[in-house]
Amino acid sequence: MIVDVSKKILIVGLGLLGGSYAKALKRFGFHMSAITLDQESIDYALREGMIDEGSTELNERIIGEADLVIFALYPHVFVEWIKKNQHLLKSGALITDVTGVKGSIVYEIQNMLRPDLEFIAAHPMAGREVSGVENSTEKMFFGANYIVTPTDKNTPEAIQTCMELGRLLGFSNVTTLSPKEHDEMIGFLSQLTHCIAITLMTCNDKENMEKFTGDSFRDLTRIARINDLMWSELFVANKTALLEQMNLFMNKFNELKEMLEREDIDEMRKMMRHSTKRRALFDKK
Amino acid sequence: MIVDVSKKILIVGLGLLGGSYAKALKRFGFHMSAITLDQESIDYALREGMIDEGSTELNERIIGEADLVIFALYPHVFVEWIKKNQHLLKSGALITDVTGVKGSIVYEIQNMLRPDLEFIAAHPMAGREVSGVENSTEKMFFGANYIVTPTDKNTPEAIQTCMELGRLLGFSNVTTLSPKEHDEMIGFLSQLTHCIAITLMTCNDKENMEKFTGDSFRDLTRIARINDLMWSELFVANKTALLEQMNLFMNKFNELKEMLEREDIDEMRKMMRHSTKRRALFDKK
């Protein structure tokens, strides 16, 4: 691609992420189109100049003209779409996605895909607590990670194009991981943290706690406000890796509990010093 | 008290909290003194106009003149200090503290105290990730909670004075709880969150994770940078209440794990909706 603005980009699913992609890419002058369920989303995006055209139908012309198709859908909806509608895509079109899990999606899509199409998977690690195209903003991508997860079915050109897309969107770090590495990493850094936040938020329903809340509890539960439809699907789609991370966490938590039971100050301090030292690695650079 | 600026206030332990108390109270014109281990802390506080005088010794005049004595020490150091040095305090002096646990401290101090002295316990729920008098700031107290934990040994006057102190310091919410209620609340909102943060930070030492970190993981581990000496002591001092909260958390976390194992999307979504709804209560007002 290398910023060939004559290319046509289609976004399927114009929500928060799809909308932010449209906003970020339109700045370069690409022809942007969108297919989404909701006419209001299209109207909004047209009004804001984020897209050139859009449809709530499977508009064959729009779909058939796209050089790059970005799927910003729930995992199972994405898989279903390809199954039913891939015949509408132009020969040679490149497909990418925003799905937060990879192993359970990438191979399934690649295996069913027409041989004249290519799917290169990517995960933009950005989000907000709000949803919908009206909340779109390219600012989400600044400072964030964009991870491309190629398989041996992918061409070097597709991998390069997808990495370039990440940079055009404004992501600070664009890297590649295998689908398996990606899922382990996301299981730990993102899904486990959401499991912890919702557990903390629901494990003690005592009244009036909110009157005494400080920043620690607020920080640990910010993500406890969660899109239940999306996250339950993502958890199940990454079940094996997530269960592994949940077990690692539980075992360590249990060790700490046993230290406290036997009042083993030395071991607790050792764990806290390890924690303090390791946390420094994760500071924003 | 009611802002009687002729009163003399002594702070024992001039660190981050003690220093912030001095800074906040000096604005009203009180005579402020300090006893602390480190001459540099006293020099700094004198230079900054936070105190009128200070000593690294058990200066009998300074201690004997104080009307209100605020102990900003580790729990066991506070208890030891009272045991050894309470004979130096002026008859009628009021004592308060900043200790983050109450049940294991309040009764022990009150039971050994001279009958002509009174101890009214308080917990200023404010902190920073840095320590030392040089990092003192009254800003820590804005928007934060100040909890007084009286027992039936306390006089209404002492309770009123201590609550007034919280307001003079700049705390937004000044309330009372019994020592037991306080310890349960703090076990949940503060200590459990620190247990979770240090567990998350140490349960998976895989390399390069930091390259992919997003805000969720950073939020959940901000407090994983922890003062091991202080927190291990606080955990043990609140062992019973904290173990109870750890068990509540583990049981719920285990429920979630079982839902995932059996791919029970309905139950997961129910838990997530409960979490989302309950989190709204904890938003900053």
Side-chain angles (χ1 to χ4, degrees), chain A residues 1 7-13 21 25 31-35 62-73 78 81-82 85-86 88-98 113 117-122 146 161-162 165:
Chain A
M1 194 156 73
K7 297 287 183 189
K8 291 191 171 186
I9 301 179
L10 166 61
I11 292 171
V12 185
Y21 269 53
L25 295 172
H31 180 279
M32 301 296 304
S33 59
I35 303 276
I62 291 180
I63 298 171
E65 282 177 5
D67 302 292
L68 175 65
V69 188
I70 299 164
F71 286 88
L73 301 171
F78 174 32
W81 201 102
I82 294 294
N85 308 315
Q86 62 167 311
L88 300 174
L89 293 163
K90 173 161 87 174
S91 184
L94 185 63
I95 297 166
T96 189
D97 71 336
V98 302
L113 209 61
L117 299 172
E118 180 168 355
F119 170 50
I120 173 75
Y146 183 87
T161 300
C162 193
L165 176 66

Side-chain angles (χ1 to χ4, degrees), chain B residues 2 7 31 86 90 142 154 156 171 198 223 227 230 276:
Chain B
I2 315 294
K7 296 288 182 189
H31 179 279
Q86 62 165 312
K90 173 160 86 174
F142 303 156
N154 284 116
F171 282 90
I198 64 173
I223 54 174
N227 177 334
M230 183 174 81
T276 300

Side-chain angles (χ1 to χ4, degrees), chain B:
Chain B
M1 194 156 72
I2 315 294
V3 201
D4 176 354
V5 295
S6 71
K7 296 288 182 189
K8 292 192 170 185
I9 301 180
L10 165 65
I11 292 172
V12 184
L14 201 63
L16 174 69
L17 258 180
S20 301
Y21 269 53
K23 233 177 193 170
L25 294 173
K26 192 63 213 168
R27 295 175 305 171
F28 296 96
F30 290 105
H31 179 279
M32 300 296 304
S33 58
I35 303 277
T36 201
L37 284 178
D38 186 8
Q39 185 61 43
E40 280 178 29
S41 302
I42 290 173
D43 293 343
Y44 177 88
L46 283 170
R47 236 175 13 247
E48 296 287 316
M50 294 155 65
I51 57 172
D52 298 287
E53 56 180 341
S55 174
T56 59
E57 313 282 316
L58 285 172
N59 185 308
E60 298 196 9
R61 184 190 54 76
I62 292 181
I63 299 172
E65 281 178 4
D67 300 293
L68 174 66
V69 187
I70 299 164
F71 286 87
L73 300 171
Y74 282 28
H76 78 276
V77 183
F78 174 33
V79 173
E80 284 305 305
W81 201 102
I82 294 294
K83 218 176 267 178
K84 282 192 202 152
N85 308 314
Q86 62 165 312
H87 63 278
L88 300 174
L89 294 164
K90 173 160 86 174
S91 185
L94 185 64
I95 297 167
T96 188
D97 72 337
V98 302
T99 317
V101 288
K102 291 304 176 200
S104 60
I105 292 291
V106 177
Y107 302 104
E108 189 179 358
I109 299 275
Q110 288 188 339
N111 287 337
M112 70 162 110
L113 208 62
R114 278 164 39 199
D116 60 330
L117 300 172
E118 180 167 355
F119 171 49
I120 174 76
H123 180 192
M125 289 186 68
R128 302 183 68 189
E129 280 93 86
V130 288
S131 60
V133 69
E134 323 78 51
N135 289 305
S136 296
T137 167
E138 319 93 283
K139 284 188 196 138
M140 268 166 57
F141 306 144
F142 303 156
N145 287 295
Y146 183 86
I147 302 166
V148 180
T149 58
T151 70
D152 50 21
K153 289 212 171 179
N154 284 116
T155 59
E157 294 73 33
I159 299 170
Q160 280 312 313
T161 299
C162 193
M163 294 183 81
E164 191 191 333
L165 176 67
R167 284 185 285 260
L168 290 177
L169 288 166
F171 282 90
S172 303
N173 309 301
V174 176
T175 43
T176 64
L177 283 179
S178 74
K180 190 176 183 317
E181 287 170 325
H182 169 275
D183 287 354
E184 277 175 22
M185 187 270 296
I186 225 65
F188 177 64
L189 291 175
S190 168
Q191 296 189 323
L192 176 61
T193 53
H194 282 77
C195 287
I196 290 170
I198 64 173
T199 300
L200 183 57
M201 200 65 250
T202 57
C203 73
N204 183 337
D205 274 350
K206 205 175 151 80
E207 282 181 12
N208 292 323
M209 287 289 195
E210 65 275 11
K211 287 189 191 153
F212 302 101
T213 298
D215 287 338
S216 308
F217 189 83
R218 283 209 185 89
D219 279 358
L220 266 81
T221 57
R222 181 181 60 81
I223 54 174
R225 180 171 288 155
I226 191 168
N227 177 334
D228 57 296
L229 193 62
M230 183 174 81
W231 282 91
S232 57
E233 184 173 340
L234 290 174
F235 283 3
V236 171
N238 200 30
K239 182 177 162 179
T240 312
L242 177 53
L243 282 174
E244 205 178 302
Q245 300 301 329
M246 288 179 90
N247 282 328
L248 285 177
F249 178 82
M250 272 186 101
N251 293 343
K252 184 60 82 175
F253 191 77
N254 209 40
E255 278 177 34
L256 176 57
K257 198 175 141 242
E258 287 167 4
M259 291 174 204
L260 178 55
E261 274 162 357
R262 60 176 195 269
E263 303 190 8
D264 190 342
I265 296 247
D266 284 349
E267 277 299 307
M268 276 192 269
R269 290 187 61 187
K270 217 165 112 183
M271 180 174 170
M272 289 174 185
R273 283 194 300 266
H274 179 190
S275 170
T276 300
K277 197 174 160 198
R278 192 160 160 73
R279 181 58 177 77
L281 283 179
F282 289 80
D283 279 347
K284 265 195 175 156
K285 295 299 178 294

